Amino acid sequence: MTDTDHDGWPDKYRDPRDRPHPDTLRVTVETFDEMREATVDAADAIAEGDAPPAVVSFATVGELRKILTDRRIELLRALMNTDGAAESISALAEDLDRDYRTVHDDVTLLADYGLVFVVDEGQSKRPYLPYKRIHLDVELVGNDPGEEPAPA
């Protein structure tokens, strides 16, 4: 049996840079049932030998908008422009001409939601984005009474 670390990946994939990643990350807004169905479909595709998709789903458009602010999208683009990895959070903050603390907080939040990875290298934490593209897949339909309006 293969030993795994705390997040379920085998030891040889402990570093997220060594893991297989598709070129595109798909960010969606889906109900729990839709997410479950997509997960089952993805598992079936993987079992048939297809590459695993990379998907991050949010329950509401408001939640997605709260996480993917203009500043965080700018951060994601900066990572894409540095071949997916910054030298450190400090270097990323300098490239963005932003305060270290706010960039650190943004990187941490994006990592918590699975949008970026953070690689520990000695004293440095390197934000890592393995995707060449991020595709936002948001479908708007009539009024959803359970949806809270996102702040403008």
Side-chain angles (χ1 to χ4, degrees), residues 91-131:
L92 181 59
E94 188 175 311
D95 289 345
L96 293 169
D97 196 26
R98 291 177 51 198
D99 177 69
Y100 168 83
R101 184 89 234 142
T102 59
V103 172
H104 180 277
D105 291 348
D106 284 348
V107 166
T108 300
L109 182 74
L110 292 170
D112 288 347
Y113 278 86
L115 294 162
V116 299
F117 299 94
V118 177
V119 178
D120 292 323
E121 285 190 351
Q123 297 293 325
S124 292
K125 292 187 180 292
R126 297 187 70 186
Y128 172 61
L129 181 68
Y131 313 105

